[in-house]
Amino acid sequence: MAVSRIIGECLDALLHPSARLDALTAARHRAFIAPRLLGSLAAFAAFPLYLVLRGAPTALEAAALAWLIAPILVAWFLSRTGHYERAHFLSSLALTVLVIGVAALTGGIQSFAVVWLVVIPIEAALSASRRVVTFAVSLALGGALLLIALGGFGMLPQPAAAETSNTTLAAFGIGSAALYASVLAYGAAWLARTNGALLNVEEERYRLLARNMSDVISRHNRNGAVRFISPAAENLIGVPMVQLAEHGLFDRVHVADRPAYLKAISDAARGRETGSVEFRIRREVVRDERGRPSAAEFVWVEMRCRPLEPGGATTPPGETEVVAVMRDITERKLHEQALDEARAEADRADDAKSRFLATMSHELRTPLNAIIGFSDMIVQEDELRLGAERRKEYAQLINDSGQHLLSVVNGILDMSKMESGNFEIVPEPFAPRPALLNCCNLLALKARDSGIDLVTRAPENLPDVVGDPRAFKQILLNLVSNAVKFTERGGTVTVSAAVESTRLVLCVTDTGVGIAEEDLKRLGDPFFQAGKTYQRRHEGTGLGLSIVKSLVRMHGGEIDVRSQIDCGTTVTVSLPLALPTASNVTTLNPAMPADSPAPDYQVKKSA
């Protein structure tokens, strides 16, 4: 082992610096230098034996022996220049000249040295170059033909008489050629092992990258069919790679995104810059105990494509392939969606603020102007000489304006409490029929003054309801007041109550102006009123229905609004007879979507 290590270190010291950068190139240079050095040294070591067998060499024999230094010079050339193919050319040429020279002195084509012509192409095979092998074969065949021609024309010198038999020389020639060929064979085997080891290292390196990369690398035909896909696809899509071959990946792309997917691959195949394309792909989700996919979901993927360089061993001629890199961007898409929703929520809040300002500028300013104006008149009663009846009228107008202003402020405060989750309801058993009749009686005068018939239909056998009586009355007052407000003179408002299963159903129907279909979707938003603000013919803040919706949801009920322009509106409220527990109550925040988490409304139990 120590000797082989020393030899290896010596060979490494002879390598050209350019050959040390690549392990395979270094191995080829070692395999070239080693047999030539060993062959020349072995020949010089056998020179004494040659003297014993042949005696003193002639001038030509001495020249042939001196030529054995040529392999050492060729090895030195490679060590100093790093030109691998040129060194093989020189080596083949030097060996051919040596073999032909020895054979010419020892019998021509029948010489023991002719067998070395076979070694010349074998030696050149280690170069892995067709040009070198072709050159070596040409030299070997040309040398054989030259010896035959020179022998046929009697141009070869007569071999010197020697005591050594032709059999011995033939054995020496075959043995030396076989020994040198064996060294070459061992060098070829060592090169093959080195090449295999390097390939295994590279394969393991790429396998390591393929297994641990989160991005999916795929190879496609021009029509999108998958020819290769990396193992990361199993983690991304949840199915084995074999199921994604050919059009398996395409079949899992969302139908709406398939044109963009195919266009990106087609553009890349034509050499166009496509940038990146985003699409949805179906992923199997493992949820059962056996590890089998039991559900599917779509995830967002970003794919970048570029044409594959032609000339690959597995690429059909005349066909351009595409390599694609796919990355899971579902989390980024969720963030973008959340950002869009937040932006939309901000826009809705801005609209609510604008509606609030537009509404409050009228609803607050009008009663305040009345209060200030009539109070100034009362202050100046001596100058204006107001009578007692006129002062009473002004005081009543001031009181009415204050009550209206108080109702507006109370509505805003109630809505604010509901949105913040601080609105309290106190549930207790109560009879709904008296509360309903009371609310209708309170608004009967307003309806009569407006020329509207207010019809009440409440059976006497209505069961008791568990809820907040104050909230129940507020629901009815807001609904009936809106119905009266938006019903023209001569119209009818009908208020009915009935029991369906375990629910109390209240229905308020009017024959008023109705609501447009596009406004029904936003009905119940804070400060929203159907129609344009500047076209309003009725006062109000737009909080009534918002408060009703919140109170109904706080009681675990449901509300339904159906309307048609110039045909009237029907509002149906369904309340449970028994108030659900706080954990089962779904609360509607008018400023949030219906599926948003409910605010923590406080429910107090009555003593």
Side-chain angles (χ1 to χ4, degrees), residues 31 35 122 125-126 181-195:
I122 297 176
L126 295 179
S182 300
V183 174
L184 295 177
Y186 278 113
W190 181 65
L191 272 180
R193 286 197 306 270
T194 302
N195 190 24

Side-chain angles (χ1 to χ4, degrees), residues 525-565:
D525 290 350
F527 308 106
F528 173 76
Q529 292 177 308
K532 302 289 183 63
T533 300
Y534 56 83
Q535 295 175 343
R536 292 193 303 126
R537 294 178 295 171
H538 307 280
E539 62 180 14
T541 60
L543 291 176
L545 195 56
S546 299
I547 295 175
V548 169
K549 277 192 170 184
S550 297
L551 292 175
V552 169
R553 291 297 177 88
M554 289 169 64
H555 283 78
E558 297 176 353
I559 184 170
D560 178 66
V561 181
R562 298 187 180 184
S563 183
Q564 189 174 353
I565 292 293

Side-chain angles (χ1 to χ4, degrees), residues 513-521 530 563-565:
V513 296
I515 305 171
E517 184 178 355
E518 60 270 15
D519 290 336
L520 281 176
K521 299 177 182 179
S563 183
Q564 189 174 353
I565 292 293

Side-chain angles (χ1 to χ4, degrees), residues 198-216:
L198 292 175
L199 288 177
N200 290 334
V201 170
E202 289 295 319
E203 184 179 357
E204 184 62 28
R205 182 182 304 168
Y206 286 113
R207 188 181 293 113
L208 178 66
L209 291 174
R211 288 177 177 175
N212 293 278
M213 282 182 62
S214 58
D215 293 353
V216 178

Side-chain angles (χ1 to χ4, degrees), residues 95-96 99 113-125 136-137 139-141 144 177-178 180-181 184:
L95 184 57
T96 301
V99 170
V114 172
V115 70
W116 275 81
L117 293 176
V118 180
V119 179
I120 298 173
I122 297 176
E123 181 187 65
V137 170
L139 288 178
L141 293 178
Y180 188 72
L184 295 177

Side-chain angles (χ1 to χ4, degrees), residues 414-431:
D414 287 343
M415 197 69 244
S416 177
K417 288 181 180 180
M418 291 177 184
E419 289 185 352
S420 62
N422 295 322
F423 191 86
E424 299 176 356
I425 61 173
V426 183
E428 62 182 44
F430 69 93

Side-chain angles (χ1 to χ4, degrees), residues 29-30 54 66 68 115 146 180 227 231 257 263 282-283 293 389 413 415 420 458 460 535 586 605:
H29 282 228
R30 292 191 199 97
R54 296 280 294 179
L68 292 176
V115 70
L146 178 62
Y180 188 72
R227 299 195 62 191
D257 299 332
K263 184 177 183 301
R282 189 173 73 253
R283 176 171 63 185
E389 185 178 350
L413 293 178
M415 197 69 244
S420 62
E460 296 183 358
Q535 295 175 343
T586 302
K605 293 186 177 180

